[in-house]
Amino acid sequence: MSLNRERIEKLTRIARMYYEQNMNQSQIAVELAISRPLVSRYLAEARDYGIVRIEIRSPQGESELLMERLQQRFGLRGG
């Protein structure tokens, strides 16, 4: 499905309600008079089109990666 301006606005509105206003899918469904499964599909579509990007960052994972790179670069042994 191609995205027109109206569709982008709808997906953005639903994404904002869910991610910024912390409304659950059932609350959004009631507010917009649509089904909860449809809200779920809209949220997935928003992710698919890049309207929503989810990033998971683990500070511990990053430090472990840095340590591993330093060990490789300088020939260090882990300890």
Side-chain angles (χ1 to χ4, degrees):
M1 171 180 286
S2 65
L3 287 182
N4 59 33
R5 184 172 159 239
E6 184 178 313
R7 185 69 166 196
I8 291 170
E9 288 174 0
K10 178 182 279 191
L11 296 176
T12 301
R13 179 176 182 207
I14 291 170
R16 287 187 186 282
M17 293 169 84
Y18 187 75
Y19 292 105
E20 292 179 352
Q21 298 173 20
N22 295 314
M23 293 175 70
N24 64 41
Q25 292 182 17
S26 296
Q27 291 169 321
I28 296 168
V30 168
E31 176 84 17
L32 300 179
I34 59 177
S35 70
R36 199 231 25 97
L38 186 55
V39 172
S40 179
R41 286 194 294 273
Y42 283 146
L43 290 169
E45 188 177 341
R47 288 189 304 273
D48 291 344
Y49 282 108
I51 293 169
V52 170
R53 287 186 286 168
I54 298 173
E55 180 179 345
I56 299 170
R57 301 186 74 212
S58 170
Q60 182 175 359
E62 290 177 14
S63 63
E64 289 173 2
L65 178 60
L66 176 60
M67 184 172 61
E68 187 177 300
R69 287 182 179 167
L70 288 171
Q71 287 172 344
Q72 291 173 350
R73 173 77 169 101
F74 296 104
L76 303 172
R77 286 188 261 165

